[in-house]
Amino acid sequence: MLKMISAVAGLLLLSTAASAETKIGIVDYRMLMEKAPQADAIQEKLKKEFQEREDRLKKRQADLKAQAEKATKDAPTMTESQRIDAGRSLEKLRNDLEFDGKKLQEDFQRRRGEELRDLGGKLQQAVSAVAAKEGYQLVLSREAAPFVAPELDITNKVLQALGTPGK
């Protein structure tokens, strides 16, 4: 629905500005998010930020697996009470591990969202800078236009402004 509204708004702007020479540009934000050098920096930053927690979680998974294997191996020599206690202990460890894994994933997604919002602001600034420098009166998102002539696409210019060469 938002794409449709953007397209209609763009068409309305085009029709009202038809009498004047309007310079129009199109930007592929998806490509910008993928190819911007800042996107790689975000990946590295998040990897470093969460690596220690991820390593601890992997170690706990390995410990749980080892304990489960030991319990299975020792089961024939255990009393019924010991088997029940071992089963409960393993179940508690599994539940704790699952909870901590979900918490790690949620924290990662939250931080990723924060970083992507910051990147979105930088992308918008770069688009505005390119538009102002080159005299564009209207810049639309590629997703809002069903067809775009290649000469209207300024995505590579924005990528260059962000510090990376185009395609």
Side-chain angles (χ1 to χ4, degrees), residues 116-145:
L116 290 178
R117 277 190 295 282
D118 288 346
L119 177 57
K122 291 175 184 171
L123 295 179
Q124 188 56 50
Q125 288 174 348
V127 169
S128 295
V130 168
K133 178 181 174 188
E134 300 202 11
Y136 287 93
Q137 289 89 19
L138 178 65
V139 177
L140 297 171
S141 170
R142 173 64 184 100
E143 291 79 22

Short mmCIF file of all heavy atoms in Angstrom, two decimals, residues 116-145:
data_model
loop_
_atom_site.label_atom_id
_atom_site.label_comp_id
_atom_site.label_asym_id
_atom_site.label_seq_id
_atom_site.Cartn_x
_atom_site.Cartn_y
_atom_site.Cartn_z
N LEU A 116 21.04 -0.70 11.55
CA LEU A 116 20.44 -0.49 10.23
C LEU A 116 19.67 0.83 10.17
O LEU A 116 19.65 1.48 9.12
CB LEU A 116 19.56 -1.66 9.84
CG LEU A 116 20.31 -2.97 9.53
CD1 LEU A 116 19.33 -4.08 9.20
CD2 LEU A 116 21.33 -2.78 8.43
N ARG A 117 19.05 1.22 11.27
CA ARG A 117 18.38 2.53 11.31
C ARG A 117 19.40 3.65 11.13
O ARG A 117 19.17 4.61 10.40
CB ARG A 117 17.60 2.71 12.60
CG ARG A 117 16.22 2.07 12.57
CD ARG A 117 15.37 2.46 13.77
NE ARG A 117 15.89 1.97 15.03
CZ ARG A 117 15.77 0.71 15.47
NH1 ARG A 117 15.15 -0.18 14.75
NH2 ARG A 117 16.28 0.37 16.63
N ASP A 118 20.54 3.52 11.81
CA ASP A 118 21.61 4.51 11.65
C ASP A 118 22.10 4.54 10.20
O ASP A 118 22.30 5.61 9.63
CB ASP A 118 22.78 4.21 12.59
CG ASP A 118 22.47 4.50 14.04
OD1 ASP A 118 21.45 5.16 14.32
OD2 ASP A 118 23.25 4.04 14.90
N LEU A 119 22.29 3.36 9.63
CA LEU A 119 22.72 3.28 8.24
C LEU A 119 21.69 3.91 7.31
O LEU A 119 22.04 4.63 6.38
CB LEU A 119 22.98 1.83 7.83
CG LEU A 119 23.39 1.59 6.37
CD1 LEU A 119 24.64 2.38 6.01
CD2 LEU A 119 23.58 0.11 6.11
N GLY A 120 20.42 3.67 7.58
CA GLY A 120 19.36 4.27 6.77
C GLY A 120 19.44 5.79 6.77
O GLY A 120 19.26 6.43 5.73
N GLY A 121 19.75 6.36 7.92
CA GLY A 121 19.93 7.81 8.01
C GLY A 121 21.10 8.29 7.17
O GLY A 121 21.02 9.30 6.46
N LYS A 122 22.20 7.53 7.20
CA LYS A 122 23.38 7.89 6.41
C LYS A 122 23.09 7.75 4.92
O LYS A 122 23.53 8.58 4.11
CB LYS A 122 24.56 7.00 6.79
CG LYS A 122 25.09 7.29 8.17
CD LYS A 122 26.17 6.32 8.57
CE LYS A 122 26.61 6.60 10.00
NZ LYS A 122 27.50 5.58 10.53
N LEU A 123 22.33 6.72 4.55
CA LEU A 123 21.96 6.54 3.15
C LEU A 123 21.10 7.72 2.68
O LEU A 123 21.30 8.23 1.58
CB LEU A 123 21.22 5.23 2.94
CG LEU A 123 21.99 3.94 3.20
CD1 LEU A 123 21.09 2.73 2.97
CD2 LEU A 123 23.24 3.86 2.36
N GLN A 124 20.16 8.12 3.51
CA GLN A 124 19.29 9.23 3.14
C GLN A 124 20.10 10.53 2.97
O GLN A 124 19.84 11.30 2.06
CB GLN A 124 18.18 9.42 4.18
CG GLN A 124 17.13 10.42 3.77
CD GLN A 124 16.49 10.07 2.43
OE1 GLN A 124 16.05 8.95 2.21
NE2 GLN A 124 16.44 11.02 1.53
N GLN A 125 21.08 10.72 3.85
CA GLN A 125 21.93 11.90 3.73
C GLN A 125 22.73 11.86 2.42
O GLN A 125 22.88 12.88 1.75
CB GLN A 125 22.90 12.00 4.91
CG GLN A 125 22.24 12.39 6.21
CD GLN A 125 23.20 12.33 7.39
OE1 GLN A 125 24.30 11.81 7.30
NE2 GLN A 125 22.76 12.89 8.51
N ALA A 126 23.23 10.69 2.07
CA ALA A 126 23.99 10.55 0.83
C ALA A 126 23.10 10.79 -0.39
O ALA A 126 23.51 11.45 -1.35
CB ALA A 126 24.64 9.16 0.75
N VAL A 127 21.87 10.27 -0.35
CA VAL A 127 20.93 10.50 -1.46
C VAL A 127 20.65 11.99 -1.58
O VAL A 127 20.68 12.56 -2.68
CB VAL A 127 19.62 9.70 -1.25
CG1 VAL A 127 18.55 10.15 -2.22
CG2 VAL A 127 19.87 8.21 -1.37
N SER A 128 20.40 12.64 -0.46
CA SER A 128 20.13 14.09 -0.48
C SER A 128 21.32 14.87 -1.00
O SER A 128 21.16 15.83 -1.77
CB SER A 128 19.77 14.58 0.93
OG SER A 128 18.56 13.99 1.35
N ALA A 129 22.52 14.46 -0.61
CA ALA A 129 23.72 15.16 -1.06
C ALA A 129 23.89 15.01 -2.58
O ALA A 129 24.19 15.99 -3.27
CB ALA A 129 24.96 14.62 -0.34
N VAL A 130 23.70 13.80 -3.10
CA VAL A 130 23.82 13.58 -4.54
C VAL A 130 22.74 14.36 -5.27
O VAL A 130 23.01 15.00 -6.30
CB VAL A 130 23.75 12.07 -4.88
CG1 VAL A 130 23.58 11.85 -6.37
CG2 VAL A 130 24.99 11.35 -4.38
N ALA A 131 21.53 14.33 -4.76
CA ALA A 131 20.41 15.05 -5.39
C ALA A 131 20.69 16.55 -5.43
O ALA A 131 20.48 17.20 -6.47
CB ALA A 131 19.11 14.76 -4.66
N ALA A 132 21.17 17.09 -4.34
CA ALA A 132 21.46 18.52 -4.29
C ALA A 132 22.62 18.89 -5.23
O ALA A 132 22.55 19.86 -5.96
CB ALA A 132 21.78 18.95 -2.86
N LYS A 133 23.66 18.07 -5.20
CA LYS A 133 24.85 18.34 -6.01
C LYS A 133 24.53 18.29 -7.50
O LYS A 133 25.04 19.10 -8.28
CB LYS A 133 25.93 17.31 -5.68
CG LYS A 133 27.20 17.45 -6.48
CD LYS A 133 28.20 16.37 -6.12
CE LYS A 133 29.41 16.42 -7.03
NZ LYS A 133 30.29 15.28 -6.82
N GLU A 134 23.67 17.36 -7.90
CA GLU A 134 23.40 17.17 -9.32
C GLU A 134 22.08 17.78 -9.78
O GLU A 134 21.69 17.60 -10.92
CB GLU A 134 23.47 15.68 -9.64
CG GLU A 134 24.84 15.13 -9.32
CD GLU A 134 25.16 13.87 -10.06
OE1 GLU A 134 24.42 13.51 -10.99
OE2 GLU A 134 26.18 13.25 -9.71
N GLY A 135 21.39 18.46 -8.88
CA GLY A 135 20.20 19.21 -9.27
C GLY A 135 18.94 18.39 -9.49
O GLY A 135 18.10 18.76 -10.31
N TYR A 136 18.78 17.31 -8.79
CA TYR A 136 17.55 16.50 -8.90
C TYR A 136 16.45 17.17 -8.09
O TYR A 136 16.66 17.53 -6.93
CB TYR A 136 17.78 15.07 -8.39
CG TYR A 136 18.61 14.23 -9.31
CD1 TYR A 136 19.99 14.15 -9.15
CD2 TYR A 136 18.02 13.54 -10.36
CE1 TYR A 136 20.76 13.39 -10.01
CE2 TYR A 136 18.79 12.78 -11.23
CZ TYR A 136 20.15 12.71 -11.04
OH TYR A 136 20.91 11.96 -11.90
N GLN A 137 15.28 17.32 -8.70
CA GLN A 137 14.13 17.86 -7.99
C GLN A 137 13.31 16.76 -7.32
O GLN A 137 12.57 17.02 -6.38
CB GLN A 137 13.20 18.65 -8.93
CG GLN A 137 13.76 19.97 -9.40
CD GLN A 137 14.58 19.83 -10.68
OE1 GLN A 137 14.46 18.85 -11.40
NE2 GLN A 137 15.45 20.78 -10.93
N LEU A 138 13.45 15.55 -7.83
CA LEU A 138 12.65 14.43 -7.32
C LEU A 138 13.48 13.16 -7.36
O LEU A 138 14.05 12.84 -8.40
CB LEU A 138 11.38 14.25 -8.18
CG LEU A 138 10.45 13.10 -7.82
CD1 LEU A 138 9.84 13.31 -6.44
CD2 LEU A 138 9.35 12.99 -8.88
N VAL A 139 13.56 12.47 -6.22
CA VAL A 139 14.23 11.18 -6.16
C VAL A 139 13.25 10.20 -5.54
O VAL A 139 12.73 10.42 -4.45
CB VAL A 139 15.54 11.23 -5.33
CG1 VAL A 139 16.16 9.84 -5.22
CG2 VAL A 139 16.53 12.22 -5.94
N LEU A 140 12.98 9.12 -6.28
CA LEU A 140 12.05 8.09 -5.81
C LEU A 140 12.79 6.81 -5.50
O LEU A 140 13.86 6.54 -6.05
CB LEU A 140 11.00 7.80 -6.90
CG LEU A 140 10.08 8.94 -7.30
CD1 LEU A 140 9.26 8.54 -8.52
CD2 LEU A 140 9.19 9.34 -6.15
N SER A 141 12.18 6.02 -4.66
CA SER A 141 12.71 4.70 -4.36
C SER A 141 12.42 3.77 -5.53
O SER A 141 11.34 3.81 -6.12
CB SER A 141 12.05 4.16 -3.09
OG SER A 141 12.39 2.81 -2.91
N ARG A 142 13.35 2.91 -5.86
CA ARG A 142 13.18 1.95 -6.96
C ARG A 142 11.94 1.09 -6.74
O ARG A 142 11.25 0.73 -7.69
CB ARG A 142 14.44 1.07 -7.09
CG ARG A 142 14.33 -0.07 -8.09
CD ARG A 142 14.16 0.52 -9.49
NE ARG A 142 13.96 -0.52 -10.47
CZ ARG A 142 12.77 -0.87 -10.97
NH1 ARG A 142 11.69 -0.28 -10.56
NH2 ARG A 142 12.67 -1.80 -11.89
N GLU A 143 11.64 0.76 -5.51
CA GLU A 143 10.50 -0.09 -5.19
C GLU A 143 9.16 0.59 -5.50
O GLU A 143 8.15 -0.08 -5.67
CB GLU A 143 10.53 -0.50 -3.71
CG GLU A 143 11.66 -1.45 -3.36
CD GLU A 143 13.01 -0.76 -3.18
OE1 GLU A 143 13.05 0.45 -2.91
OE2 GLU A 143 14.04 -1.45 -3.35
N ALA A 144 9.17 1.91 -5.61
CA ALA A 144 7.93 2.65 -5.85
C ALA A 144 7.60 2.77 -7.34
O ALA A 144 6.51 3.21 -7.70
CB ALA A 144 8.01 4.05 -5.25
N ALA A 145 8.54 2.38 -8.18
CA ALA A 145 8.33 2.54 -9.62
C ALA A 145 8.36 1.18 -10.31
O ALA A 145 9.36 0.46 -10.22
CB ALA A 145 9.42 3.44 -10.19
#
